[in-house]
Amino acid sequence: MSKSEVNREEWIANVCASFVTSGQANRNYYKLILETLWPPGHTLPGPIVFLSEIRQVIDRFRDSSEPYKDVSRRIRELQGEEGLIGIEKQGNGVYTRYQLVSLEINPKRIQRIKLGDIIWKEILNKYSH
């Protein structure tokens, strides 16, 4: 299917329905990121979007006085665990920008988990800290 034949809303809905993350908050953030990287009426490749713009979208959604700090991490998770390899990063620091250049998706990775304290201590002991 060519890019011009892909329905944006349908593609985003399908991608969101197949997220491997279990957290609803992260699912919401992933969707907001995708909607920002591929705005309505825009073709692909999408616009180049500054990290600060994506952060503003998430902050408006959260309606919190504290700015959301993990935007870059959520994007890395989209690229890694969720397989969205069509998101390209450009620049660093305050000049970090992202662009959705393709709809290609690799197979999902197994979601990272937090090790329990007992397991973590066993690992530390096994490898001499």
Side-chain angles (χ1 to χ4, degrees), residues 27-118:
R27 289 173 171 273
N28 291 336
Y29 300 149
Y30 293 165
K31 182 177 182 189
L32 290 169
I33 292 166
L34 292 175
E35 291 173 339
T36 303
L37 292 175
W38 191 7
H42 207 287
T43 59
L44 290 177
I48 295 172
V49 181
F50 278 91
L51 178 62
S52 59
E53 295 174 66
I54 298 170
R55 181 172 285 117
Q56 289 172 356
V57 169
I58 291 175
D59 285 345
R60 280 194 301 272
F61 171 79
R62 291 177 68 232
D63 193 28
S64 172
S65 60
E66 292 293 317
Y68 189 66
K69 298 186 190 305
D70 286 339
V71 178
S72 296
R73 181 177 184 173
R74 298 293 86 87
I75 294 171
R76 286 192 308 274
E77 290 167 354
L78 275 171
Q79 294 168 312
E81 287 89 343
E82 300 299 343
L84 287 140
I85 60 173
I87 300 174
E88 287 188 356
K89 178 184 176 187
Q90 305 163 4
N92 287 305
V94 296
Y95 301 107
T96 303
R97 303 169 307 284
Y98 292 92
Q99 184 177 30
L100 183 64
V101 297
S102 81
L103 304 179
E104 189 176 354
I105 300 175
N106 273 348
K108 308 285 185 176
R109 291 187 195 165
I110 297 172
Q111 181 183 6
R112 288 185 270 172
I113 59 169
K114 183 178 188 288
L115 297 176
D117 291 338
I118 294 172

